[in-house]
Amino acid sequence: MASMFLSSLDQSIISTAMPTIVGELDGVEHQGWLITIYILAVAVVMPMYGKAGDSWGRRWPFLIAVALFTLASAGAGFAGSFAELVIWRGIQGLGGGGLMILSQAIVADIVPARERGKYMGPMGALFGVAAVAGPLLGGWFTDAHDWRWAFWVNIPVGLLALAVAWVTLKLPSHRSDKRIDVLGAVLMTLGTSGLIVVATWESMVGSYDLGDTRLTGLVLGTVVTWGVFVAVELRAEDPILPMRLFRNSVFTLATAIGLVIGMGMFAALGFLPTFLQMATGVGVTQSGFLMIPMMVGMMATAIASGIAITKTGRYKIYAIAGMGIATATLVWMTTITADISMLQYSAMIFVLGAGLGLVMQTVVLAVQNAVDPREIGTATSANNFFREIGAALGTALFSSIFTSRLVAGLDDVFAGAPQTGGEAAPSSLTPQVVQALPAPLKDGVVAAYADALAPAFWYLVPLLALGFVLAFFVREIALSDVAGMVARGEAVTEAQAVAGTTAEPEAVGDVPAAGVPAGHDRDLEPVAASGPAEDG
């Protein structure tokens, strides 16, 4: 939980501190790279960590990920230049991608799917907490202390996680005699890099100019790279992203739902604080506090649904309900106006959080329960990978729509206004400047923000509606009573150890192998598996 929180937190913690950071380090022109490099690194390594954990065991990849992330946090905090900070942020992402994936896969290794909901629920809630707490903490550190604490805060938590994992994480390691899919890894890195850069092109370059040969070349190169990647993976002995997973309808549908969740959730989170600052005049930190209702809603439903899934064994209904609630709430959010009350605003984002909390970890559980136990890490990482891609694409799409509408609206507001000084130009508005404007002009600016934000949500509604429809077609498979390590033959239950029996390593799907009795198997004893054990 600590490691997953760190990884999720660092996707958003610098968003509110960004103006101060780039101003101090002279990086205003390239500030987009601070977020892009982290998202890119996380997305690229997710499938690699998942595959490494399936092939060689998860203990050492997890320890390496924690160490990388903690070291990079220290380096970022002490960075003396913008270039140094970008490099350390990239290294942070290389560790952060492993933390998010391996924490979920380790739970799947040691907890049966039948009981996994009560563990995955809090993890899903923690993801939502991090998404809201990131901007809040980043703003507080910047206002009250130093922006460098946004990175230094990770060090004690990272060291604690590393120490606890080193002592207690006794998972078996083993050697794989299959050839490493180097070409697949290289192509995935290139393809993901191209996709992320295209998605964030506007924030880094300025605009999507179809006549720009650089952009055209990048798009074509990205499409070709992904085509070659698919061809390579179909032929690889041990592919980093097996194409056969997409023949599993549960995996495909759940992954598609994860993609649209990423697109909708991060787009909404990214622009609501900006609207609040402009409309109400609250500061950076205070606007973060106003996102707390969303966090509360997500925590409540994620934990409650996890407990309910453990008791009943039914999970499909929560994915359907969650997507339905999130879709309806986005429709509701298209009614946001400049004079919206904070009570109504809080109700909106609380319900949105509640919907997302019902579905986020439920789709991960569905994926893990539907695939071969020997590919739990690969399947989990693929599901999260597509959610990260969705977040990048959704934020880019929403940003383009919102910004274009906002610029047009502000131009109209200032067109007939008297000269008020350069500080009140549309291109240089800040919350403080807006609050100091004459009343008619201030009302016009706030209305322009509301008129740009509310209709933009309509572009996200069809995406979430598609996820709602897809949730009905997810096949509900009975949750297994056998943990992943037992199903793979890497561990036996306490009862089996006493009886002198072992698990058969021939289980296919997250179902009991022959000779493995159903029941609770949380107390596991590791056994040698698919090669000489190195530890555990």
Side-chain angles (χ1 to χ4, degrees):
M1 296 233 354
S3 64
M4 187 171 182
F5 179 73
L6 287 176
S7 178
S8 304
L9 187 72
D10 268 64
Q11 291 198 47
S12 58
I13 195 169
I14 70 165
S15 60
T16 46
M18 183 89 77
T20 303
I21 294 174
V22 299
E24 185 175 317
L25 298 179
D26 299 321
V28 174
E29 294 181 358
H30 306 288
Q31 59 182 295
W33 276 108
L34 282 180
I35 295 177
T36 299
I37 194 67
Y38 185 82
I39 295 175
L40 174 58
V42 166
V44 164
V45 298
M46 273 183 174
M48 299 180 190
Y49 274 113
K51 191 61 175 181
D54 286 343
S55 298
W56 302 303
R58 298 191 222 285
R59 174 179 164 82
W60 284 107
F62 185 80
L63 292 173
I64 291 170
V66 176
L68 262 180
F69 187 89
T70 307
L71 174 65
S73 296
F78 288 105
S81 69
F82 185 77
E84 283 182 39
L85 183 58
V86 170
I87 292 171
W88 283 116
R89 280 286 287 173
I91 298 173
Q92 258 194 324
L94 295 179
L99 297 182
M100 192 177 298
I101 293 306
L102 293 172
S103 56
Q104 293 177 335
I106 287 169
V107 170
D109 279 344
I110 62 177
V111 180
R114 187 68 169 78
E115 298 181 36
R116 207 173 296 157
K118 63 186 178 186
Y119 293 86
M120 299 292 277
M123 293 179 80
L126 202 64
F127 186 87
V129 170
V132 175
L136 182 61
L137 284 174
W140 181 66
F141 283 135
T142 303
D143 287 342
H145 302 286
D146 188 320
W147 63 264
R148 297 179 186 274
W149 278 103
F151 300 105
W152 289 336
V153 69
N154 297 325
I155 298 174
V157 183
L159 290 175
L160 179 63
L162 187 63
V164 172
W166 182 271
V167 173
T168 65
L169 195 62
K170 299 300 183 182
L171 299 175
S173 296
H174 45 82
R175 299 186 185 95
S176 174
D177 56 359
K178 294 182 179 179
R179 183 180 302 173
I180 299 174
D181 183 18
V182 176
L183 182 56
V186 170
L187 289 170
M188 170 168 275
T189 300
L190 293 174
T192 305
S193 300
L195 195 57
I196 297 294
V197 173
V198 168
T200 57
W201 183 268
E202 186 173 34
S203 64
M204 294 188 296
V205 177
S207 64
Y208 283 103
D209 181 3
L210 297 180
D212 190 333
T213 55
R214 296 174 301 170
L215 178 60
T216 305
L218 180 62
V219 171
L220 291 176
T222 301
V223 171
V224 170
T225 300
W226 278 112
V228 175
F229 171 77
V230 171
V232 168
E233 295 302 273
L234 289 171
R235 293 174 172 268
E237 178 185 3
D238 190 24
I240 196 167
L241 181 60
M243 293 295 110
R244 63 178 174 274
L245 286 176
F246 293 95
R247 293 199 295 267
N248 182 322
S249 63
V250 175
F251 171 84
T252 302
L253 290 172
T255 298
I257 293 171
L259 178 73
V260 299
I261 288 175
M263 296 184 77
M265 174 183 172
F266 285 96
L269 280 176
F271 293 91
L272 284 173
T274 300
F275 168 73
L276 289 172
Q277 290 176 43
M278 290 298 185
T280 66
V282 299
V284 172
T285 305
Q286 291 87 341
S287 69
F289 277 115
L290 291 173
M291 297 299 290
I292 287 178
M294 182 175 184
M295 176 180 72
V296 173
M298 189 175 294
M299 287 182 64
T301 57
I303 294 173
S305 63
I307 295 172
I309 289 170
T310 298
K311 288 183 177 180
T312 65
R314 308 300 296 270
Y315 55 89
K316 178 177 177 177
I317 185 61
Y318 300 105
I320 294 173
M323 291 306 303
I325 291 171
T327 305
T329 307
L330 274 187
V331 174
W332 186 16
M333 292 175 74
T334 63
T335 64
I336 287 177
T337 60
D339 57 351
I340 186 173
S341 70
M342 286 300 98
L343 179 61
Q344 183 181 352
Y345 165 81
S346 298
M348 283 181 176
I349 63 173
F350 173 84
V351 177
L352 178 63
L356 293 172
L358 286 171
V359 70
M360 283 185 62
Q361 292 302 104
T362 303
V363 295
V364 176
L365 175 61
V367 165
Q368 292 178 340
N369 188 59
V371 301
D372 189 315
R374 290 164 291 197
E375 293 184 326
I376 282 179
T378 301
T380 303
S381 65
N383 183 269
N384 281 265
F385 170 78
F386 283 102
R387 188 176 65 194
E388 287 293 313
I389 296 298
L393 295 175
T395 302
L397 171 67
F398 195 84
S399 175
S400 298
I401 296 168
F402 173 73
T403 303
S404 62
R405 293 182 63 91
L406 177 62
V407 169
L410 290 176
D411 286 344
D412 290 341
V413 170
F414 281 87
Q419 294 297 318
T420 56
E423 71 278 3
S427 61
S428 58
L429 287 175
T430 66
Q432 294 75 22
V433 170
V434 171
Q435 297 308 309
L437 290 173
L441 197 54
K442 173 188 170 183
D443 292 342
V445 170
V446 174
Y449 270 87
D451 292 342
L453 181 68
F457 284 121
W458 279 117
Y459 292 88
L460 298 178
V461 169
L463 290 172
L464 265 69
L466 174 62
F468 175 56
V469 173
L470 292 177
F472 282 94
F473 293 92
V474 174
R475 185 164 52 94
E476 189 169 53
I477 301 173
L479 294 175
S480 171
D481 284 326
V482 178
M485 286 173 59
V486 174
R488 295 193 299 268
E490 295 176 357
V492 295
T493 65
E494 185 179 42
Q496 291 169 338
V498 171
T501 61
T502 61
E504 298 290 338
E506 299 299 328
V508 177
D510 199 0
V511 295
V516 181
H520 303 300
D521 56 354
R522 286 171 291 179
D523 301 310
L524 305 181
E525 295 288 340
V527 298
S530 60
E534 295 174 352
D535 55 46

